């Protein structure tokens, strides 16, 4: 396996970095953090025009037709710049439609997700905050040619921005009697609201369904048999978040390294001293180790789906802990000023705190790796 990026992927990285540095640098990010939407709709449209919102959507449905390794390149750059947007959420909603294998559903929803006119997200977690299939309580009852959905989803990524929700609901009493459906934010009985998190560049929210009527044509796949599809979407979410966190960790390391070169103590840069050199070296090793696990997981999405659950869990588990350590060490190596709002390093520590539980924390994923290994 070649872990190097192709010439086209390097070009994509350069183009994304150029656009984000020019249109949404950290000064602009700080301003967006204070706004209601939390992201810049103009830049969102630019990403759509460049084909980056539909990077993994086939060309037949308005996308670029690329793969998840290419998406990793894009997400590492959005993570590096702490770019606020519902990109991961929309990508996961598109993946849910793509994997439904219904041509009518693909034609209906994918073009609008690719051109940015629809913002999608996945609504899975509920009050228990558990990823187990039995934790889904939101019920669906057949009603003629539709399902009536009642319940509440919590911790929904980008709930305030989304106008298309991919909702997991219960069709029966067994733990895996589950289904996925597309729910329009404007439908009767549907309310959603977003709220800021510790990382103000990321938003979560709630989705309430009170007898919301969903036509059978909006149900993805076979009702009652959706758990494998849901589990794969959660794996894709873990890969996507790990991609962003590696980009953010790389930026945190670069910022801290530059500070160690610039900050003088006793007439010398503090980076000259072993007490600073060694943590920087450990941060580098942890970052590179996370990248290796991430690239394998992204490769497995299309090339070896059977390996995706274990590889996604390994990447998310190791990356979550590594980025947290990198964020803490980055702030500490800045000394007392690292905690102040004026310094950018504190923004990356907050991103690490946000990324850690997103799509499963390290405890969840290490336990899953053990379970998948028969332990």
């Amino acid at each position: 396996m070649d872990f190097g990026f192709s010439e086209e992927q390097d070009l994509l990285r350069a183009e994304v970095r150029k656009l984000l540095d020019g249109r949404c640098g950290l000064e602009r990010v700080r301003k967006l953090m204070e706004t209601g939407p939390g992201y810049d709709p103009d830049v969102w449209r630019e990403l759509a025009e460049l084909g980056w919102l539909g990077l993994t959507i086939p060309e037949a449905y308005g996308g670029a037709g690329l793969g998840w390794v290419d998406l990793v390149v894009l997400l590492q750059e959005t993570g590096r710049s702490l770019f606020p947007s519902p990109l991961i959420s929309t990508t996961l909603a598109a993946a849910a439609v793509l994997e439904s294998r219904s041509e009518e559903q693909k034609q209906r929803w994918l073009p609008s997700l690719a051109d940015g006119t629809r913002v999608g997200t996945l609504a899975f977690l509920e009050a228990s905050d558990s990823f187990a299939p039995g934790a889904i309580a939101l019920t669906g009852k057949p009603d003629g040619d539709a399902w009536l959905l009642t319940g509440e989803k919590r911790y929904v990524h980008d709930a305030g921005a989304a106008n298309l929700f991919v909702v997991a609901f219960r069709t029966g009493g067994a733990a895996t009697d589950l289904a996925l459906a597309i729910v329009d934010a404007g439908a009767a009985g549907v309310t959603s609201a977003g709220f800021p998190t510790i990382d103000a560049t990321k938003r979560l929210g709630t989705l309430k369904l009170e007898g919301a009527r969903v036509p059978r044509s909006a149900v993805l796949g076979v009702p009652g048999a959706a758990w494998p599809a849901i589990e794969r979407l959660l794996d894709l979410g873990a890969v996507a978040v790990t991609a962003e966190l590696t980009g953010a960790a790389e930026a945190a390391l670069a910022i801290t390294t530059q500070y160690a070169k610039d900050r003088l103590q006793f007439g010398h840069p503090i980076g000259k001293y072993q007490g600073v050199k060694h943590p920087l070296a450990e941060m580098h090793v942890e970052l590179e180790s996370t990248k290796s696990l991430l690239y394998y997981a992204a490769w497995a999405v299309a090339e070896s789906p059977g390996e995706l659950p274990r590889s996604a869990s390994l990447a998310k588990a190791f990356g979550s802990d590594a980025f947290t350590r990198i964020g803490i060490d980055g702030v500490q190596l800045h000394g007392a000023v690292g905690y102040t709002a004026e310094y950018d390093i504190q923004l990356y520590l907050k991103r690490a705190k946000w990324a850690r539980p997103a799509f499963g924390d390290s405890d969840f994923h290490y336990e899953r790796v053990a379970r998948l290994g028969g332990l």
Side-chain angles (χ1 to χ4, degrees), residues 110-184:
L110 290 180
S112 57
L113 290 169
D115 68 19
T117 54
R118 282 186 182 273
V119 174
T121 191
L122 175 65
F124 175 82
L125 289 173
E126 300 186 11
S128 66
D129 194 21
S130 169
F131 289 95
I136 295 179
L138 193 150
T139 58
K141 292 184 178 179
D143 182 39
D145 61 350
W147 289 81
L148 298 180
L149 304 189
T150 301
E152 180 176 303
K153 295 293 183 182
R154 299 186 183 181
Y155 321 110
V156 181
H157 292 234
D158 303 304
N163 49 25
L164 180 152
F165 294 88
V166 177
V167 178
F169 66 95
R170 177 158 301 286
T171 60
T176 57
D177 286 346
L178 302 172
L180 282 172
I182 299 290
V183 175
D184 191 299

Side-chain angles (χ1 to χ4, degrees), residues 56 67-68 91-101 122 124 131 180 225-240 297-313 359 365 368:
T56 57
W68 272 71
T91 299
L92 292 177
V97 177
L98 259 178
E99 302 202 0
S100 73
R101 301 186 180 184
L122 175 65
F124 175 82
F131 289 95
L180 282 172
W227 175 241
I230 295 171
E231 199 168 28
R232 179 170 165 84
L233 288 172
L234 297 177
D235 284 335
L236 296 180
V239 172
W299 169 85
V301 169
E303 303 299 331
S304 185
E307 293 186 84
L308 178 61
R310 182 176 181 275
S311 58
S313 282
F359 291 96
H365 282 292
R368 185 173 183 235

Side-chain angles (χ1 to χ4, degrees), residues 76-345:
Q76 284 183 317
E77 290 306 308
T78 58
R80 182 188 64 82
S81 61
L82 300 181
F83 176 62
S85 82
L87 176 59
I88 289 179
S89 298
T90 299
T91 299
L92 292 177
V97 177
L98 259 178
E99 302 202 0
S100 73
R101 301 186 180 184
S102 163
E103 186 61 28
E104 187 274 335
Q105 292 175 334
K106 292 177 186 177
Q107 295 281 359
R108 182 177 175 187
W109 286 300
L110 290 180
S112 57
L113 290 169
D115 68 19
T117 54
R118 282 186 182 273
V119 174
T121 191
L122 175 65
F124 175 82
L125 289 173
E126 300 186 11
S128 66
D129 194 21
S130 169
F131 289 95
I136 295 179
L138 193 150
T139 58
K141 292 184 178 179
D143 182 39
D145 61 350
W147 289 81
L148 298 180
L149 304 189
T150 301
E152 180 176 303
K153 295 293 183 182
R154 299 186 183 181
Y155 321 110
V156 181
H157 292 234
D158 303 304
N163 49 25
L164 180 152
F165 294 88
V166 177
V167 178
F169 66 95
R170 177 158 301 286
T171 60
T176 57
D177 286 346
L178 302 172
L180 282 172
I182 299 290
V183 175
D184 191 299
V190 179
T191 57
S192 60
F195 54 80
T197 68
I198 186 173
D199 174 5
T201 66
K202 292 288 189 182
R203 306 294 169 92
L204 297 177
T206 56
L207 172 68
K208 293 184 179 179
L209 303 175
E210 298 173 298
R213 186 177 178 83
V214 177
R216 290 182 182 274
S217 61
V219 175
L220 306 175
V222 179
W227 175 241
I230 295 171
E231 199 168 28
R232 179 170 165 84
L233 288 172
L234 297 177
D235 284 335
L236 296 180
V239 172
V241 170
T242 305
E244 272 207 336
L245 75 79
T246 58
E250 195 164 41
L253 176 57
I255 290 171
T256 307
T257 301
Q258 190 62 51
Y259 182 80
K261 292 177 180 177
D262 296 339
R263 175 76 166 87
L264 300 180
Q265 189 70 32
F266 307 117
H268 299 283
I270 62 172
K272 176 183 178 182
Y273 304 107
Q274 287 188 339
V276 174
K277 283 182 180 177
H278 287 181
L280 289 172
E282 290 169 359
M283 291 161 71
H284 177 75
V285 170
E286 296 217 81
L287 173 59
E288 293 303 312
S289 299
T290 304
K291 285 182 180 178
S292 296
L293 293 168
L294 166 66
Y295 297 157
Y296 193 90
W299 169 85
V301 169
E303 303 299 331
S304 185
E307 293 186 84
L308 178 61
R310 182 176 181 275
S311 58
S313 282
L314 281 172
K316 182 60 172 56
F318 188 89
S320 294
D321 286 347
F323 187 24
T324 300
R325 286 192 292 268
I326 289 171
I328 292 171
D329 287 350
V331 168
Q332 287 183 339
L333 290 174
H334 276 71
V337 299
Y339 288 97
T340 62
E342 290 79 5
Y343 281 75
D344 291 333
I345 189 63

